[in-house]
Amino acid sequence: MAVAAADSSPPLLAVEDLRVSFRTHDGVVRAVRGVSFDLAKGKTLAIVGESGSGKSVSTQAIVGLVRGAEVSGRATFAGKDLLTMNAEELRRIRGARIGMIFQDSLSSLHPYYRIGWQIVEMIRAHDGSVSRAEGRDRAVDLLRRVGIPHAERRVDDYPHQFSGGMRQRALIAMAMALGPELLIADEPTTALDVTVQAQVLQVMADLQREFGTAIILITHDLGVVAEVADEVVVMYAGTVMERSGRRELFYRFHHPYTEGLLGSLPSEQDVRRRLRPIPGSPPSLIRLPKGCPFHPRCPYAFERCRTDVPPLRPVYGDEAHLSACWLPTDPAGREGARADAGVTAEARGSR
Amino acid sequence: MARFLIRRVFLGAIVLLLITMMVFAIFFVAPNDVARTLAGRQATPETIALIQQRLGLDQPVWKQYLTFLWNALHGNLGYDYYHQVPVTTIITQALPATVSLAVGAAVIWMLLGVLNGVVSAVHPRSVADRALTGFALFFYSMPTFLLGLLLLFFLYFQLSLAGFPVFPAGGYIPLTENPVEWFRHLILPWLTLALVLAATYTRLTRGSMLDVLGEDYIRTARAKGLTERRVVYRHGLRSALTPVVTQFGIDLGQLVGGVVVTETVFSIDGLGKTAVDAINQQDLPVIIGIVIFAATAVIIANLLVDLAYAVLDPRVRPH
Ligand SMILES: Nc1ncnc2c1ncn2[C@@H]1O[C@H](COP(=O)(O)OP(=O)(O)O)[C@@H](O)[C@H]1O
Ligand code: SF4
Ligand SMILES: [Mg+2]
């Protein structure tokens, strides 16, 4: 079983009905609309979905990094709700117990401060007893562990003197400096070329094993998902479309949106590629369509889809495999729908 | 770096050359009756010719200009027409008052402007932001002479009338002569200059700070679990200050060359007031001397600003 909920121990992180909205001049942007997921200690959860589907906003809202937004719901981390904590409690958790890495490593590091200084600053923000010299030694050690050559010298470099891959590794070193229980990695390899991507993922995997860190990995790369994820959340227009173990998602997906992302017939070889574009574009988060948010682009869409919002419910008799779609939830019924919609599905597949 | 410096110094010299030419041209295009004024009402044409000869005004303009350049290159900016005092002496005597005024005001406007700007940027659209921005706009749109006169009216005239002569009407007491009086005489001029300029700095800091606070590395700083204070000052302000420092260098460079309006309103015998007096008397050597000095100050300030960039931003530093 891929899902920890069956376990008796509570999950490390339980997000329930997370909602985030922004007031803008054009209206209220409902960026996240009721997202729920669990993550067990030491496991990896992948979040996939087209750009703008709310992946970054939902993960950043959990740790209080989304400013100027209304946030509601619960995000229970090690037994305490992050969303109702006071600022100082949350600050102590950020960096120390929850590490974060972002996509653009150059803009994510302060251009005016040395790499080592930025790592030491973070260590000392949580443990004032660490001296600058000790902190520096630890920074060198961390940089060495993530594979920065001549770490004892490069620790004094500025971010612009590092290559993209090295910077991303430095960011990982920083995020892992205090052995966090959770690492949120927001498209950490998107800006890197393929070989460097693999190295960076390897570094993350090694540190995960060493510290027993759970990882939320936001990615566009289904190959990465296939390799590292234990569970997958598929997001669209601020909601979860499908949630399941990794194998279930690839071989027994239920949701047409997931199907669109994967292409029509994923095979083991086929899986190694980026999300394929789906015709059409995501809806406005200010004025969402009635019913299923995916219906304007869904080749299966039928009457009910245009009026009622489908709830996230178990499919294929598997309590750990959820899908927000009105199609039949039994394998045969879902397969039948595919055949009925054959023409359109075919048309899409041949693009 | 050395090449950059040489280039800049060379360019600066050319700019200075052009400026002196322009001042010469303007002066000689306008009718010039310095000799007549000096000679007095009942002067004979002979006397006037004699004076013109003595001042070198009988020479062709281009020759006067070359003579001037030659002397200037040897550190001699000439003598004033009326009392034959060396222009360099006139400048060195007027400089301390101007520098005192400019530097003191700079301290005030930087503190006021930068702090206001940070508060406004950290709480955009808050009551504090609106109040501070309104405050800034009020002084920004006020002419310096008007603010100076208002301060004089209320803080000197009315206060003295009420029996509290806290502030003097004007004038300048050298720091070396009496530090307390120096300070007392400069408070109102400082405030005049600083309030008008603080507005610019509030707006500049606010805008720069708002841009910086939206940067990814600020999000990283928060994700690291730094205190909000550290995020704002150590990470935000550190970057936001770069354009502010640039503006500061340029403003200070300009002010050191003379603070015309403020010096005139408060009768401070600095470079600005000296220049105005010289213009009224058509005292060419003094005018040119001060113009050259002011231009040099601006050129040096610009050079220092460029060097400051390298100090502030490691990305433009040679490694
Ligand atoms: N500060 C903000 N103000 C208004 N809308 C925002 C803001 N931040 C994000 N959004 C909107 O929220 C939606 C989700 O964004 P995001 O979580 O970054 O998507 P993803 O990471 O999945 O690509 C986007 O439509 C984006 O425009
Ligand atoms: S609910 Fe309807 S429109 Fe939405 S994904 Fe399922 S079939 Fe398509
Ligand atoms: Mg994103």
Side-chain angles (χ1 to χ4, degrees):
Chain A
M1 264 324 273
V3 165
D7 230 295
S8 58
S9 64
L12 175 70
L13 175 70
V15 175
E16 289 163 81
D17 198 30
L18 180 69
R19 289 167 192 274
V20 185
S21 50
F22 299 94
R23 270 178 211 288
T24 66
H25 288 300
D26 305 324
V28 178
V29 176
R30 293 179 209 288
V32 179
R33 305 177 296 124
V35 163
S36 305
F37 59 81
D38 293 348
L39 177 57
K41 197 174 172 301
K43 296 286 185 195
T44 300
L45 172 82
I47 304 184
V48 298
E50 288 167 303
S51 130
S53 50
K55 307 182 296 292
S56 300
V57 169
S58 48
T59 46
Q60 286 172 25
I62 293 171
V63 285
L65 286 182
V66 178
R67 302 176 76 81
E70 276 163 47
V71 181
S72 71
R74 267 185 307 280
T76 315
F77 174 74
K80 290 198 82 172
D81 184 6
L82 297 170
L83 300 185
T84 54
M85 256 177 209
N86 68 42
E88 177 59 16
E89 263 182 297
L90 195 54
R91 180 190 76 74
R92 284 174 204 274
I93 288 179
R94 279 203 298 258
R97 299 180 66 187
I98 301 181
M100 301 195 86
I101 322 170
F102 305 103
Q103 174 178 342
D104 184 347
S105 62
L106 184 58
S107 63
S108 293
L109 286 161
H110 200 296
Y112 290 2
Y113 296 115
R114 297 170 196 279
I115 300 271
W117 187 93
Q118 299 191 43
I119 297 177
V120 174
E121 180 188 37
M122 141 126 180
I123 296 172
R124 282 166 50 92
H126 295 284
D127 185 354
S129 72
V130 178
S131 72
R132 272 176 222 286
E134 281 172 308
R136 193 193 141 91
D137 290 344
R138 276 170 69 176
V140 171
D141 182 53
L142 282 159
L143 289 178
R144 196 174 288 135
R145 274 204 278 176
V146 296
I148 304 287
H150 309 295
E152 62 293 337
R153 196 151 47 75
R154 303 304 299 259
V155 71
D156 290 327
D157 277 3
Y158 288 96
H160 71 275
Q161 294 170 286
F162 270 32
S163 70
M166 281 164 67
R167 273 196 300 268
Q168 199 56 278
R169 275 185 265 181
L171 274 175
I172 294 174
M174 183 150 82
M176 295 303 248
L178 298 167
E181 289 140 87
L182 173 62
L183 177 69
I184 299 175
D186 193 342
E187 305 197 30
T189 59
T190 306
L192 306 175
D193 67 51
V194 182
T195 40
V196 182
Q197 265 184 34
Q199 291 165 0
V200 166
L201 287 171
Q202 190 57 48
V203 166
M204 278 173 52
D206 293 346
L207 291 170
Q208 177 174 39
R209 207 171 309 118
E210 182 173 341
F211 294 115
T213 303
I215 297 180
I216 295 180
L217 179 68
I218 298 173
T219 178
H220 270 165
D221 193 330
L222 290 175
V224 172
V225 176
E227 248 168 68
V228 306
D230 295 301
E231 285 187 67
V232 187
V233 165
V234 180
M235 280 189 71
Y236 182 72
T239 50
V240 175
M241 296 282 103
E242 186 158 13
R243 208 173 99 192
S244 73
R246 181 228 322 169
R247 289 192 62 79
E248 286 72 18
L249 190 92
F250 280 108
Y251 301 113
R252 298 180 70 197
F253 56 81
H254 180 268
H255 203 283
Y257 179 63
T258 312
E259 185 179 355
L261 291 178
L262 291 169
S264 26
L265 266 179
S267 68
E268 197 72 58
Q269 298 93 307
D270 228 23
V271 149
R272 245 208 169 282
R273 63 170 178 225
R274 303 218 157 194
L275 296 190
R276 84 171 19 221
I278 303 171
S281 49
S284 150
L285 296 176
I286 298 176
R287 262 169 298 279
L288 282 148
K290 256 178 84 105
C292 170
F294 189 55
H295 85 247
R297 302 167 73 189
C298 180
Y300 299 93
F302 55 103
E303 217 33 61
R304 189 172 192 188
C305 307
R306 288 179 254 279
T307 52
D308 301 344
V309 179
L312 198 60
R313 56 185 177 153
V315 293
Y316 307 142
D318 179 354
E319 284 298 317
H321 189 163
L322 309 176
S323 172
C325 172
W326 290 125
L327 291 177
T329 58
D330 59 299
R334 175 66 174 85
E335 204 45 50
R338 189 191 179 89
D340 292 344
V343 187
T344 22
E346 208 63 56
R348 193 186 68 251
S350 66
R351 264 171 204 252
Chain B
M1 206 63 182
R3 268 182 53 189
F4 164 80
L5 275 178
I6 291 168
R7 220 175 86 94
R8 291 299 298 262
V9 169
F10 180 72
L11 278 175
I14 290 182
V15 169
L16 275 181
L17 206 64
L18 289 174
I19 288 176
T20 52
M21 280 183 200
M22 265 160 58
V23 177
F24 252 83
I26 292 170
F27 192 79
F28 282 100
V29 164
N32 170 5
D33 49 5
V34 178
R36 189 154 296 137
T37 315
L38 276 176
R41 278 193 184 281
Q42 275 102 38
T44 58
E46 288 73 29
T47 322
I48 292 174
L50 199 69
I51 292 175
Q52 284 202 320
Q53 193 195 350
R54 192 162 52 81
L55 297 181
L57 292 172
D58 54 341
Q59 304 283 330
V61 175
W62 64 267
K63 211 162 172 190
Q64 288 187 45
Y65 181 66
L66 287 184
T67 312
F68 162 79
L69 267 191
W70 180 253
N71 289 335
L73 283 176
H74 294 83
N76 174 6
L77 291 175
Y79 303 87
D80 93 82
Y81 284 161
Y82 298 87
H83 307 103
Q84 303 301 313
V85 180
V87 170
T88 44
T89 308
I90 293 180
I91 291 177
T92 32
Q93 277 172 355
L95 192 58
T98 297
V99 169
S100 300
L101 177 55
V103 171
V107 170
I108 303 176
W109 93 58
M110 278 299 266
L111 282 176
L112 261 180
V114 170
L115 281 179
N116 285 355
V118 169
V119 171
S120 296
V122 170
H123 308 286
R125 288 180 295 279
S126 68
V127 177
D129 177 23
R130 282 175 215 276
L132 290 172
T133 311
F135 176 82
L137 213 65
F138 177 73
F139 287 109
Y140 184 70
S141 46
M142 185 177 282
T144 314
F145 77 88
L146 181 60
L147 179 59
L149 289 178
L150 285 176
L151 286 181
L152 270 181
F153 180 73
F154 288 108
L155 294 181
Y156 157 71
F157 185 67
Q158 296 284 31
L159 216 58
S160 300
L161 217 60
F164 303 101
V166 185
F167 301 106
Y172 173 75
I173 310 289
L175 177 64
T176 46
E177 197 179 303
N178 185 340
V180 176
E181 284 301 309
W182 171 82
F183 189 80
R184 204 168 76 90
H185 279 77
L186 279 168
I187 294 178
L188 294 186
W190 278 340
L191 278 180
T192 304
L193 200 52
L195 283 176
V196 171
L197 276 157
T200 314
Y201 284 76
T202 300
R203 288 150 54 102
L204 191 65
T205 308
R206 180 183 188 270
S208 171
M209 195 71 185
L210 276 176
D211 286 347
V212 169
L213 288 180
E215 291 281 349
D216 286 353
Y217 57 79
I218 295 298
R219 183 182 60 195
T220 306
R222 293 203 172 100
K224 282 159 79 172
L226 305 184
T227 58
E228 194 55 24
R229 201 187 165 80
R230 199 175 166 92
V231 171
V232 168
Y233 289 95
R234 206 65 195 261
H235 289 249
L237 188 57
R238 175 68 171 74
S239 308
L241 228 38
T242 306
V244 177
V245 167
T246 307
Q247 184 69 34
F248 178 74
I250 290 167
D251 281 348
L252 198 61
Q254 271 174 17
L255 289 182
V256 165
V259 193
V260 176
V261 176
T262 312
E263 286 178 7
T264 309
V265 170
F266 291 96
S267 346
I268 295 172
D269 288 318
L271 283 173
K273 188 159 171 294
T274 306
V276 172
D277 294 345
I279 289 169
N280 287 336
Q281 299 182 310
Q282 298 193 324
D283 199 345
L284 180 67
V286 178
I287 298 171
I288 294 191
I290 293 179
V291 166
I292 288 181
F293 178 80
T296 311
V298 168
I299 289 167
I300 291 177
N302 276 304
L303 199 65
L304 289 179
V305 162
D306 285 336
L307 292 177
Y309 258 143
V311 174
L312 287 174
D313 187 344
R315 286 170 300 184
V316 299
R317 228 175 273 170
H319 286 289

